[in-house]
Amino acid sequence: MIDAMANPTIGHWQLAYELRKLRGNRTLETVGRDIEVAPTSVGRWEDPTRTLPRLRDLKALLTYYEVTSGETERLLGLYTQAKKRGWWQSYGVGKRYGTYIGLEAAATRLEFFESELIPGLFQTEEYARAVFDKSAHSRSPEEVDGLIRARLDRQSLWRERAPETWAIVAESSLRHHIGGAEGMKRQLKHLIELSEDSNVEFLVIPFSSGGHAALERGSFVLLHLEHITVVYTEGVASNLFEDRPEDIEDHRRMMDRLRADALGPDQSRQIIRAVAQEM
């Protein structure tokens, strides 16, 4: 059984956000000099995808910012949460992927756009294994097995929590014979079944639309949490998290344009069925 509350990512993200806010207009150099640490360390502590401060450094920082005792206790609680081990860490996933899993597990709303693949939460085990086998490169069979188990547990937690979920895919993602034609037919049948869930809107942008709003951007995810919204993009060299208001608004507008490019839910199911029949 997955412990959905054991989520160090959220503790880390909230702590980093609070430290950014507490610094206010002070420069990194000023804070670093005054508490006798490198300015770059202060910057890293404010980045939720990087390192946590040592406990003594965090306490020194909160004393320097003149944080009240009650607020200090709350922030130290976030620090304790951030230091815990997430359920996904036993699968050997990378730190950035683990950060994504932690954010996804706490999201109240998810918005996906995929140009070439079926989104991970909607993949069958057969399809996911075929994807990892194609892109494994230097991964061992044991590492691939760990990634598969992590994906299946992500799906289980998602179905249990049932957050509002929008998934928009380009038609090309339906037509790649990943895992062979028969395996892909099973994947498409699975998509149709999931698309009928009350919390899911699964939309397809057909070839006939003449392209889509994210042609130059590629795939991304908008994760809406209780207090923050984060954009996640996955690349060959690195995975990127963005939470600046201008980046969030840019991707919100793009998602709205993608929705306008896409077929409605019923028409999307029709095109999925048609592609499956062609196979």
Side-chain angles (χ1 to χ4, degrees):
M1 181 68 178
I2 299 170
D3 182 2
M5 301 305 292
N7 195 334
T9 298
I10 303 308
H12 193 171
W13 209 279
Q14 290 177 335
L15 180 62
Y17 172 79
E18 297 286 357
L19 294 180
R20 286 201 303 267
K21 189 166 66 171
L22 284 168
R23 182 162 58 85
N25 295 325
R26 303 176 185 89
T27 65
L28 295 173
E29 289 72 19
T30 297
V31 176
R33 182 191 65 234
D34 289 349
I35 66 169
E36 299 182 340
V37 299
T40 52
S41 294
V42 180
R44 284 197 301 271
W45 302 338
E46 296 176 2
D47 182 344
T49 67
R50 302 186 73 182
T51 56
L52 285 165
R54 291 176 298 182
L55 182 58
R56 69 184 185 190
D57 290 330
L58 177 59
K59 289 180 176 178
L61 196 60
L62 297 181
T63 299
Y64 173 70
Y65 289 147
E66 299 181 346
V67 176
T68 64
S69 59
E71 186 68 358
T72 295
E73 185 177 350
R74 184 180 73 86
L75 295 175
L76 291 177
L78 290 177
Y79 179 80
T80 299
Q81 180 183 348
K83 294 285 285 184
K84 290 180 179 177
R85 183 177 173 84
W87 60 262
W88 56 86
Q89 289 174 278
S90 63
Y91 297 131
V93 302
K95 185 178 187 303
R96 292 230 158 198
Y97 184 37
T99 297
Y100 172 80
I101 291 175
L103 292 172
E104 181 185 83
T108 57
R109 181 178 181 184
L110 297 161
E111 297 181 87
F112 297 89
F113 171 69
E114 278 283 358
S115 59
E116 296 298 326
L117 294 172
I118 305 301
L121 290 179
F122 295 81
Q123 293 176 6
T124 64
E125 181 177 355
E126 182 180 17
Y127 180 99
R129 189 169 294 280
V131 170
F132 285 127
D133 285 345
K134 278 289 184 183
S135 59
H137 306 304
S138 60
R139 292 191 187 113
S140 69
E142 292 75 22
E143 288 174 318
V144 171
D145 286 343
L147 291 171
I148 294 290
R149 291 196 301 273
R151 180 150 300 179
L152 294 177
D153 278 352
R154 278 176 55 206
Q155 294 173 358
S156 176
L157 183 57
W158 170 67
R159 286 192 296 269
E160 181 183 322
R161 294 178 56 249
E164 181 184 354
T165 304
W166 287 78
I168 303 176
V169 302
E171 183 177 342
S172 55
S173 68
L174 307 177
R175 293 189 175 276
H176 294 303
H177 287 204
I178 294 176
E182 290 302 316
M184 194 65 194
K185 284 172 68 174
R186 287 187 284 272
Q187 171 64 75
L188 296 176
K189 179 182 178 183
H190 182 63
L191 269 188
I192 293 169
E193 292 170 352
L194 287 177
S195 74
E196 293 171 341
D197 289 351
S198 60
N199 65 305
V200 173
E201 290 284 356
F202 194 94
L203 309 180
V204 177
I205 300 175
F207 288 144
S208 59
S209 69
H212 54 74
L215 282 173
E216 294 184 328
R217 296 287 188 92
S219 305
F220 65 92
V221 186
L222 271 168
L223 304 110
H224 303 269
L225 286 77
E226 185 177 355
H227 299 296
I228 57 172
T229 298
V230 179
V231 177
Y232 173 75
T233 54
E234 188 171 328
V236 175
S238 64
N239 304 336
L240 182 65
F241 297 90
E242 300 172 290
D243 61 356
R244 296 185 307 169
E246 56 268 34
D247 294 323
I248 300 303
E249 184 57 30
D250 181 42
H251 284 83
R252 282 187 202 271
R253 289 196 299 266
M254 184 174 298
M255 188 61 77
D256 287 341
R257 293 197 298 272
L258 289 166
R259 269 189 278 269
D261 292 333
L263 300 171
D266 291 337
Q267 290 175 301
S268 294
R269 278 189 284 271
Q270 288 174 10
I271 198 170
I272 296 170
R273 290 189 183 97
V275 173
Q277 288 171 358
E278 290 174 16
M279 291 183 182

